[in-house]
Amino acid sequence: MALSTEQKAKMWAMLNQTRGQIGLTAYKDYIFGILFYKYLSEKATHWLNGVLRGEKWESVYSQDSVKALNYMKKNLGYAIQPNEFFVDWKKAIDTDRFNIGMMTDTFTHFNQQVAFEAKNDFEGIFDGMRFDSADLGANAQARASVMISMIELLSSPEFDLSGSNDTVSDIYEYLVAQFATVLASDMGQYYTPKEISNVMARILTFGREDMEKFSIFDPTVGSGSLLLTTASYMKNSGRRGVIKYYGQEKDATPYRLSRMNLMMHGIEYNDININHADTLESDWPDGVVDGKDTPRMFDVVMANPPYSAHWNNKDREDDPRWREYGVSPKTKADYAFLLHCLYHLEDNGRMAIILPHGVLFRGASEGRIRKALIDKHQIEAIIGFPEKLFLNAAIPVCVVILRKNRIESDVLFIDASKEFEKTKKQNSLRSEDVDKIVDTVINRKEINKYSHVATLDEIKENDYNLNIPRYVDTFEEEETIDLVALGNEMVALNADIKKAETDFLGLLDELAVTTDTKDIIEATKAVFR
């Protein structure tokens, strides 16, 4: 069940009350880290209740700790020692036994008890929390006080994780979105608006919702929202092993958040493959192994890369990702990301990428890349969105839909920039806007002043320029002005004004003239003479 507006407001108010003087940028790392550990603790507790059948975990552990921990690791990918669960911290607080060393020991032990096959999924996932950091306080007592506040906050009913996976994921998603809103310059780049995610996901999964095996890849994974939204449209997404989630992320914070996000949505560690590296510098997954190019291919690929990023494009001509198309300029990596995505797409797959509009018309090397994509019939659709949809960018963006082996040579253009809901600082797509975009793409509809299917000949006539206004005319002719009617209206209006002035002067004549009012009355009359 989705969180209510009242629940969300209360959660955020409570968070702000407990953080004290800690900056939000630092605070988020601890909140997400501790919330995730609470989730892992409760997941382990639920599993233990099912397998121990009344026995105490402490008792089983005391009999053979190595065997007990290995059994938990085999099933969960991690193990938690007795007295190191989230609830144990709360019990220690309630009995005045808590100290910050308990948390340090817990995470040290946790990192030691991660299964080998789950190392990549948990590696460094709690590194954003430094319990000796001055961000928390000047001494151990002050830092412990901050941790106590956080633990008590996350123990409140508002942060109850004992319900369904939907409740857990709703709480996490709300916090990610809220922190991204408040910290737009810090986190906004890692968060894709839900409405755009839904457009991309519905297009990418259309006609494939029933697949028993499905692989998805986001090379700039951010918080993982695009992966999760795409998977949510697959009918078998709740089944273990059906969907494989792949992603790569350069920055440490979203690398941690994306893995937490996936696991808190109930996805098992052995279905998650998130790598920490620079996508353009390090081709992954697989890439060149022992001198041989062996790239992993995916059913769908989606991305929201940094716009017009600088990158090192020197000596990239022989990279198999760009060899057939050309190399993007060093000050604009947009096509480098697009071609990376396309390279890792299955022959029958489909991809979607969010980019600035400049990729549609800029020349030089980008123009040559665009021409190659068009001549190979790989661009299926281009969707132009309204401005101010993103937290960290006011510019309008477009989504480009591509398929590797298309036979058709036409391109669908959609100008959806005029259909949205305006809020205080941002714009947002309504559900009907999302539905219209998806329906237009799926059915390749021609809608006056909204969409157009352009032939290859049309595109060639425009010198391979894909700027949307060249293909979708949204110009609205102004209504013809009837000058005779307008003149008559002005004459009538002047007559009305004259009559009102005459009536007003008549009222002034009826006023009693005294020494105090004489000058005021005469001055007022002078205005209308």
Side-chain angles (χ1 to χ4, degrees):
M1 187 167 122
L3 297 173
S4 67
T5 303
E6 184 181 354
Q7 284 175 298
K8 291 177 180 179
K10 188 171 183 181
M11 287 168 63
W12 190 248
M14 292 169 70
L15 279 167
N16 278 308
Q17 288 169 8
T18 58
R19 77 178 176 91
Q21 300 302 310
I22 304 173
L24 272 174
T25 300
Y27 186 70
K28 75 176 188 306
D29 292 326
Y30 295 92
I31 282 295
F32 283 120
I34 297 170
L35 180 66
F36 181 58
Y37 189 74
K38 179 184 180 183
Y39 167 76
L40 295 177
S41 293
E42 294 190 4
K43 180 179 179 180
T45 299
H46 180 75
W47 176 79
L48 286 169
N49 290 338
V51 298
L52 295 183
R53 298 178 182 177
E55 263 195 283
K56 296 290 186 182
W57 174 231
E58 292 85 347
S59 173
V60 173
Y61 180 85
S62 65
Q63 294 169 34
D64 190 335
S65 62
V66 174
K67 184 178 179 181
L69 291 172
N70 284 341
Y71 186 58
M72 185 184 283
K73 283 194 286 186
K74 181 181 177 182
N75 285 273
L76 300 181
Y78 63 92
I80 299 177
Q81 296 180 187
N83 303 315
E84 293 191 347
F85 289 72
F86 178 85
V87 293
D88 295 311
W89 296 342
K90 183 65 169 66
K91 289 175 184 176
I93 291 170
D94 293 341
T95 54
D96 202 24
R97 293 182 294 107
F98 179 83
N99 63 76
I100 204 160
M102 294 175 66
M103 299 184 77
T104 304
D105 291 344
T106 293
F107 289 113
T108 298
H109 296 155
F110 180 90
N111 290 334
Q112 293 168 348
Q113 296 301 331
V114 172
F116 175 78
E117 58 271 23
K119 285 289 184 186
N120 288 340
D121 299 301
F122 288 100
E123 183 179 10
I125 205 161
F126 295 112
D127 284 358
M129 297 186 292
R130 295 285 304 276
F131 298 106
D132 59 351
S133 172
D135 287 333
L136 298 178
N139 53 54
Q141 184 178 356
R143 293 191 285 271
S145 177
V146 172
M147 287 299 105
I148 288 170
S149 296
M150 290 189 189
I151 293 166
E152 289 184 329
L153 167 69
L154 296 179
S155 299
S156 65
E158 285 73 21
F159 293 91
D160 180 14
L161 304 181
S162 62
S164 66
N165 276 336
D166 286 344
T167 302
V168 176
S169 59
D170 283 348
I171 291 173
Y172 190 87
E173 281 186 7
Y174 167 68
L175 292 180
V176 169
Q178 196 66 13
F179 273 102
T181 301
V182 177
L183 301 172
S185 60
D186 181 45
M187 283 185 67
Q189 61 184 309
Y190 310 130
Y191 182 76
T192 304
K194 190 72 173 176
E195 299 83 6
I196 292 187
S197 296
N198 280 326
V199 168
M200 296 168 71
R202 288 171 61 180
I203 293 169
L204 291 174
T205 58
F206 177 76
R208 314 177 83 182
E209 298 90 342
D210 295 323
M211 287 179 65
E212 291 290 329
K213 295 291 181 183
F214 199 65
S215 59
I216 54 181
F217 176 45
D218 183 347
T220 55
V221 74
S223 68
S225 63
L226 281 174
L227 291 177
L228 289 163
T229 305
T230 301
S232 71
Y233 288 95
M234 300 297 293
K235 292 181 180 176
N236 296 311
S237 62
R239 288 172 48 197
R240 188 170 185 169
V242 172
I243 299 178
K244 295 296 182 182
Y245 301 78
Y246 282 79
Q248 182 155 271
E249 179 53 54
K250 177 182 177 181
D251 295 337
T253 295
Y255 173 58
R256 293 191 294 268
L257 291 179
S258 60
R259 291 175 292 158
M260 292 181 190
N261 200 4
L262 290 166
M263 284 187 258
M264 289 186 74
H265 275 76
I267 299 164
E268 297 297 335
Y269 72 89
N270 42 13
D271 288 332
I272 300 171
N273 297 273
I274 307 295
N275 192 45
H276 187 201
D278 185 327
T279 285
L280 300 183
E281 293 292 332
S282 174
D283 185 17
W284 182 90
D286 298 338
V288 177
V289 178
D290 297 328
K292 183 180 179 183
D293 188 36
T294 55
R296 188 79 57 90
M297 303 302 184
F298 301 93
D299 294 307
V300 299
V301 182
M302 73 292 295
N304 178 20
Y307 308 145
S308 300
H310 289 226
W311 72 303
N312 177 15
N313 71 343
K314 189 177 180 181
D315 299 326
R316 299 302 186 106
E317 291 79 9
D318 291 330
D319 190 307
R321 293 174 287 176
W322 304 303
R323 186 188 298 143
E324 295 181 25
Y325 301 86
V327 179
S328 297
K330 64 181 181 180
T331 58
K332 293 179 178 65
D334 304 306
Y335 273 112
F337 283 110
L338 183 151
L339 293 173
H340 175 89
C341 293
L342 186 64
Y343 178 71
H344 284 282
L345 190 64
E346 286 279 11
D347 286 345
N348 63 344
R350 184 180 257 171
M351 66 162 276
I353 184 169
I354 304 170
L355 294 170
H357 279 262
V359 300
L360 304 178
F361 54 80
R362 290 192 298 246
S365 59
E366 291 184 296
R368 292 189 290 273
I369 294 170
R370 187 169 60 247
K371 181 179 184 299
L373 290 166
I374 293 167
D375 286 339
K376 289 175 179 285
H377 307 171
Q378 291 173 324
I379 298 178
E380 182 178 10
I382 297 170
I383 308 163
F385 287 90
E387 63 180 2
K388 296 183 180 179
L389 291 180
F390 286 78
L391 299 171
N392 67 322
I395 62 169
V397 299
C398 64
V399 168
V400 183
I401 311 294
L402 300 99
R403 284 161 54 198
K404 191 174 277 186
N405 293 316
R406 273 185 85 222
I407 296 173
E408 303 86 355
S409 62
D410 56 18
V411 177
L412 171 66
F413 291 86
I414 297 177
D415 186 345
S417 63
K418 305 291 192 298
E419 301 186 5
F420 59 90
E421 180 179 44
K422 189 173 183 61
T423 58
K424 280 186 178 179
K425 293 183 180 179
Q426 302 292 130
N427 296 325
S428 62
L429 298 179
R430 300 158 297 189
S431 59
E432 58 264 35
D433 302 326
V434 172
D435 290 343
K436 184 176 180 180
I437 294 168
V438 174
D439 180 58
T440 304
V441 172
I442 297 303
N443 296 297
R444 298 189 75 73
K445 287 184 175 180
E446 289 254 8
I447 301 174
N448 187 40
K449 299 189 182 299
Y450 184 78
S451 64
H452 173 61
V453 180
T455 65
L456 181 57
D457 286 339
E458 281 183 79
I459 293 169
K460 287 180 176 179
E461 287 173 11
N462 279 291
D463 198 25
Y464 291 90
N465 186 317
L466 299 180
N467 200 17
I468 296 173
R470 289 187 175 231
Y471 304 93
V472 182
D473 179 12
T474 59
F475 177 74
E476 296 283 354
E477 286 192 15
E478 293 183 5
E479 185 180 347
T480 303
I481 298 174
D482 186 336
L483 294 177
V484 174
L486 180 61
N488 291 336
E489 186 179 342
M490 291 174 67
V491 169
L493 185 59
N494 286 333
D496 289 341
I497 293 172
K498 186 66 178 174
K499 182 178 183 304
E501 290 176 350
T502 302
D503 292 344
F504 181 65
L505 288 170
L507 292 172
L508 289 177
D509 287 337
E510 294 177 8
L511 293 176
V513 179
T514 66
T515 306
D516 294 331
T517 63
K518 180 180 179 182
D519 291 341
I520 296 173
I521 292 172
E522 289 302 320
T524 305
K525 287 181 178 181
V527 172
F528 295 98
R529 286 177 181 151

